[in-house]
Amino acid sequence: MPSDCLFCKLYAEGDHVRKADGFAAIKDINPRADTHLLVIPERHVETFRDVGEFPADEVQRMLAFVAETAREAGLDDYRVMVNVGPGGGQTVFHLHWHVLGGRMTGMPG
Ligand code: AMP
Ligand code: ZN
């Protein structure tokens, strides 16, 4: 784990909404929706481009964790988003999934 990675640190010692099985969900510090959660895998890869480094079963469990996080947050309809690279809006270089529900501000589309 890179010692200077914010999300490796938050995975290990953050204030989690839920954590299980190599994945954690936290509240985004700068929410852009009524509900704005981030799902962080324990495994450090810098971007979604590198998702192929995950074993297939871990990808399946990661997506299931995203869906379960939304369900536990009481969301039925919502948006799941990954920003890829600086040009795609990525600012923290540890793969993470945004889960956005309710009214959204400043989101595309
Ligand atoms: P991205 O821009 O897709 O890389 O998303 C990074 C997200 O992390 C942004 O939405 C930030 O608001 C959020 N963020 C940055 N620092 C923290 C923190 N300490 N705790 C929770 N969320 C954070
Ligand atoms: Zn990391």
Side-chain angles (χ1 to χ4, degrees):
M1 136 180 169
S3 58
D4 58 346
C5 174
L6 173 65
F7 282 1
C8 280
K9 282 199 190 93
L10 289 182
Y11 180 87
E13 60 199 40
D15 185 13
H16 306 118
V17 173
R18 58 194 299 258
K19 186 177 186 181
D21 206 20
F23 306 101
I26 64 169
K27 289 185 177 167
D28 197 292
I29 202 170
N30 176 28
R32 271 140 290 157
D34 290 335
T35 301
H36 187 171
L37 302 173
L38 301 172
V39 169
I40 303 170
E42 179 175 17
R43 183 187 297 276
H44 176 99
V45 301
E46 283 193 7
T47 83
F48 181 76
R49 272 184 240 113
D50 301 327
V51 75
E53 292 177 22
F54 280 68
D57 73 299
E58 217 168 296
V59 175
Q60 190 275 329
R61 287 189 291 108
M62 179 161 60
L63 293 176
F65 188 94
V66 170
E68 184 69 3
T69 296
R71 197 187 67 74
E72 283 196 3
L75 300 176
D76 189 15
D77 297 346
Y78 55 92
R79 183 177 292 194
V80 175
M81 192 182 73
V82 181
N83 295 325
V84 187
Q90 187 178 5
T91 59
V92 178
F93 291 85
H94 176 130
L95 172 64
H96 54 279
W97 303 73
H98 296 258
V99 177
L100 300 133
R103 283 171 304 148
M104 303 181 198
T105 52
M107 303 303 293

